[in-house]
Structures are given as structure tokens and as C-alpha cells.
Amino acid sequence: MIKRLIPGKRLSQATIHGNTVYLAGQVPNDYTGNVEAQTTEVLAKIDALLKDAGTDKTKMLSVTVWLPSMGDFAKFNTVWDAWVPADATPARACVEARLADPSIKVEIAVIAAIG
């Protein structure tokens, strides 16, 4: 059985299958902030989605991060490092990519275990 959280026309914000939740790439709602502000907002959205799925950031298995400029990598990591528990870091990839809107400075997708 597949459960979809916040389904939309093109995508669901998260899908649950078995004991795994897959979050769609999350971007900020406010595109005006710098990479730190946008990352903080995206991580809060991830926390909320994981909670709705019955899990939390300590159960993250894999994370993919897209930054339009690797020049923001250190600034992104400052926010990330303060958010992710040191003893629960997931497998992670971070790549430079053009995002859907030039004002978006970060997008993050998560796969996490439930339970």
C-alpha cells in the first residue's frame, strides 16, 4: 500500500511505502532570503513532513541537496550541521544544479525510515 501526503497535480510532497517515506524535493516558500535563510526554511518543512509521516530527522537514510552555486556550500553546511544530529547523519549527496527559479538557493530531497 502507498500513502501520499499532500498530493497535488504533479507530485505529492511525500509518499510512504512500507516503512520508508520519500520526500519530494523541498524548496523555500520565500525566495528572497539568502542560502542560510532558505535552508532554515526548507529544513523546517522537512521536519514537518517527516513528523506527518510518523518519523523524524534521526531516521533519515539518504538526502540529496541541490545548490545552484557551490559557492554556497559552506554557508549551507553551517545551517545543516546545526540541524542534523551528529550521531544520525544520513548518506548525502550535494550537487550544483540550475533550479526551477533562479531565486531558489537550495532544494533538498529526503528518504527516511519510519519506526
Side-chain angles (χ1 to χ4, degrees):
M1 182 171 164
I2 297 172
K3 180 179 178 182
R4 300 176 197 288
L5 302 179
I6 315 172
K9 180 179 178 181
R10 292 188 180 94
L11 60 95
S12 295
Q13 291 300 311
T15 55
I16 299 169
H17 182 256
N19 291 326
T20 307
V21 60
Y22 304 84
L23 273 55
Q26 298 298 306
V27 298
N29 295 324
D30 179 2
Y31 296 178
T32 62
N34 60 22
V35 69
E36 295 97 334
Q38 289 192 18
T39 300
T40 299
E41 182 183 344
V42 169
L43 295 176
K45 290 172 74 172
I46 290 169
D47 277 332
L49 282 168
L50 290 173
K51 182 178 180 182
D52 288 349
T55 191
D56 62 51
K57 63 188 170 188
T58 67
K59 302 289 194 314
M60 293 187 300
L61 303 170
S62 178
V63 172
T64 303
V65 178
W66 295 273
L67 299 171
S69 170
M70 288 308 278
D72 286 333
F73 185 67
K75 292 175 185 175
F76 166 81
N77 276 326
T78 298
V79 178
W80 172 267
D81 291 345
W83 177 77
V84 71
D87 62 344
T89 55
R92 190 184 95 173
C94 185
V95 297
E96 184 175 82
R98 186 171 40 192
L99 302 179
D101 183 294
S103 299
I104 299 172
K105 299 193 174 20
V106 62
E107 181 169 350
I108 304 173
V110 174
I111 300 170
I114 298 172

